Amino acid sequence: ERGWAVRAQELYNLTLFASPPKHHRLRYFNDDAGDSIRLGIFLTQPFRLEVYVGGKKLEDSYDKAQDPAGARYPELSDAHGAHAFDPHQRRFYLTMRGGSHGGLPGSS
């Protein structure tokens, strides 16, 4: 496991130099549901990822690349788990919010 200290209301870029593992878990420990971060994860293998919260796969409405109003990146104001994959940049964007999600303290 690796841990980083991050500041709320910021955008972060993360680069994975190898293929992501089959099951990868990210956590954002922050009790304030009003705080969020957005990760932009660079993938060497340009594959779309599935997002789960509390062991349940999120609905398609969380995928902002498929937004009926137009494809976009998730924003800090979006719901926990909002995501989008940009195949041209090979980046997977994910918004994580503080508070409890799926009955779990801390975002996971």
Side-chain angles (χ1 to χ4, degrees):
E1 276 189 39
R2 296 214 160 117
W4 297 278
V6 296
R7 188 179 352 195
Q9 306 310 108
E10 295 285 339
L11 311 177
Y12 294 94
N13 289 314
L14 177 66
T15 298
L16 301 176
F17 291 101
S19 297
K22 185 174 182 180
H23 301 285
H24 196 86
R25 179 169 287 177
L26 299 171
R27 293 186 177 162
Y28 175 54
F29 294 106
N30 186 328
D31 291 334
D32 188 344
D35 285 345
S36 63
I37 60 172
R38 189 189 77 187
L39 300 175
I41 305 170
F42 177 79
L43 304 170
T44 57
Q45 302 289 327
F47 299 122
R48 181 180 302 274
L49 304 176
E50 294 179 341
V51 178
Y52 290 76
V53 173
K56 297 178 184 172
K57 185 178 177 213
L58 293 181
E59 302 168 3
D60 290 342
S61 62
Y62 285 84
D63 185 351
K64 300 307 174 186
Q66 308 298 324
D67 194 323
R72 64 178 179 85
Y73 296 142
E75 300 172 356
L76 293 171
S77 59
D78 283 329
H80 176 71
H83 59 276
F85 176 65
D86 184 337
H88 303 290
Q89 291 189 28
R90 297 196 316 196
R91 286 203 178 272
F92 183 80
Y93 295 92
L94 174 69
T95 296
M96 299 180 77
R97 299 193 73 76
S100 295
H101 304 280
L104 301 172
S107 301
S108 61

